[in-house]
Amino acid sequence: HDVTPVSPDYVISDRFAGKTYIVTGSARGMGKVAADRLAREGANVVGVDWIADEGAAVIAAIKAAGGKAEFVPGDVSDTAVCDRMVEVAVSTFGGLDGAINNAGVMDAIPPSEPIDYDKQKDLAFNPVHLASDAYWDVVMRVNATGVFRCMRAQLRHMVEQGKGGSIVNVASVAGLRGFSSTPSYVASKHAVNGLTKNAAIDYAPYGIRINSVNMANTDTPMVQRAKQLVGARMKALGGVGMGTIKTRSLLQYADTDHRDATPEEQVAIMLFLLSDEASNITGANWATDGGFTTY
Ligand code: ADP
């Protein structure tokens, strides 16, 4: 299927040569960087995203540069899409060695739509008593159910294949701590960390390692979008803590002098966890947050 000659400038290492990985959410942000970096380190990559045009363009660019990749459009919470991503890995590349389950959302508005805060304010970033079903349902479905269904499809094949492997689930510092006005995001990311620990136990006997990474603000379209959406709302809600509990916004960094992590920094950690160098690490919920959760 792949007629593009491999460019020595594109493939920079053979760390993942002969291995095949699924990367969900590969159209933008960390998933896009992860798909590209894996291909540059010799892996076969199956990218998945529900933004079909951008997702296809990212994979086409990898192929044009000399990487090995295929694209599966669709929603990671759809079981048929989860089955399809595994089928494509197996039929195109002959197997599956693992995945980066990275697709996620922070609000209930389709990411391809421009932000109209006044129109959409009820759909995102409200405390429980103001939160909409749309916000709860979409974020839980994509972030929590999506990781469950993707892992289920991946693990069914990996168990049968019997060659071990490694899965990295992308959670968030919101999976380790509470933050104001993001109930569904916080709950869904805690679910990702819980699923990771559960599956790590069940699949260790098969030589399959399963870990999660928990980043604070990383410079991606999702975080830029959340900062834009949240602005005034977060400030208005500020200061409702109960004395000892300081109100804490996931995006509190927006008002402070700090540096967002780069997607490349996060992807370096994900690829380490996928690699054999991490052979004794499973069930870990790593804080990859520049120290955010140290206090
Ligand atoms: P991040 O900060 O996680 O990199 P982005 O929004 O920049 O956030 O990237 C997340 C990617 O995941 C986007 O390309 C988005 O389209 C994708 N994504 C989100 N939800 C789904 C879903 N349900 N199915 C497939 N892809 C999804």
Side-chain angles (χ1 to χ4, degrees):
H1 77 285
D2 190 353
V3 294
T4 313
V6 173
S7 146
D9 294 339
Y10 184 74
V11 177
I12 55 173
S13 97
D14 61 0
R15 176 158 61 144
F16 298 108
K19 306 264 191 183
T20 301
Y21 298 102
I22 288 166
V23 178
T24 70
S26 60
R28 292 181 180 175
M30 291 180 291
K32 175 180 174 177
V33 173
D36 184 58
R37 185 75 194 194
L38 274 170
R40 296 199 67 179
E41 299 217 39
N44 309 313
V45 177
V46 178
V48 183
D49 210 287
W50 63 4
I51 305 179
D53 48 354
E54 279 181 49
V58 166
I59 297 302
I62 290 173
K63 288 171 86 165
K68 299 191 205 85
E70 285 295 331
F71 180 60
V72 174
D75 182 342
V76 293
S77 66
D78 177 344
T79 298
V81 172
C82 299
D83 290 342
R84 175 99 189 109
M85 62 180 84
V86 174
E87 272 162 33
V88 168
V90 174
S91 64
T92 310
F93 300 120
L96 182 66
D97 296 285
I100 299 178
N101 291 316
N102 156 82
V105 292
M106 204 185 270
D107 57 71
I109 303 149
S112 46
E113 274 182 29
I115 294 172
D116 177 346
Y117 183 76
D118 285 335
K119 199 174 97 196
Q120 295 158 327
K121 65 185 172 192
D122 292 335
L123 295 180
F125 302 110
N126 281 305
V128 169
H129 77 289
L130 300 174
S132 64
D133 279 342
Y135 169 76
W136 176 262
D137 290 344
V138 171
V139 176
M140 288 302 284
R141 182 168 58 78
V142 173
N143 294 3
T145 308
V147 169
F148 164 69
R149 290 189 176 146
C150 286
M151 278 211 296
R152 182 173 59 184
Q154 293 153 5
L155 287 164
R156 279 178 179 162
H157 182 80
M158 290 166 75
V159 165
E160 191 189 307
Q161 185 178 255
K163 293 195 329 202
S166 175
I167 292 176
V168 176
N169 295 322
V170 176
S172 160
V173 287
L176 300 171
R177 296 285 191 279
F179 293 95
S180 76
S181 302
T182 48
S184 186
Y185 192 73
V186 168
S188 69
K189 292 300 190 179
H190 275 72
V192 171
N193 281 328
L195 270 168
T196 299
K197 289 188 276 194
N198 161 262
I201 295 167
D202 285 335
Y203 296 95
Y206 298 93
I208 300 169
R209 297 180 297 100
I210 303 170
N211 296 288
S212 65
V213 289
N214 293 267
M215 60 275 307
N217 286 359
T218 303
D219 186 16
T220 64
M222 178 195 283
V223 170
Q224 287 154 12
R225 177 187 163 83
K227 284 179 178 172
Q228 194 183 338
L229 256 173
V230 86
R233 172 65 60 97
M234 281 305 194
K235 287 207 177 85
L237 285 168
V240 294
M242 292 176 180
T244 54
I245 303 175
K246 242 178 115 181
T247 300
R248 192 166 158 162
S249 156
L250 188 53
L251 300 161
Q252 66 188 62
Y253 273 13
D255 289 335
T256 64
D257 183 17
H258 82 289
R259 173 177 80 78
D260 283 350
T262 65
E264 287 77 9
E265 286 174 300
Q266 299 297 350
V267 166
I269 297 158
M270 298 175 201
L271 266 55
F272 169 70
L273 288 170
L274 282 188
S275 78
D276 292 342
E277 293 281 295
S279 53
N280 194 40
I281 305 172
T282 196
N285 298 155
W286 272 9
T288 59
D289 64 356
F292 187 92
T293 51
T294 52
Y295 66 95

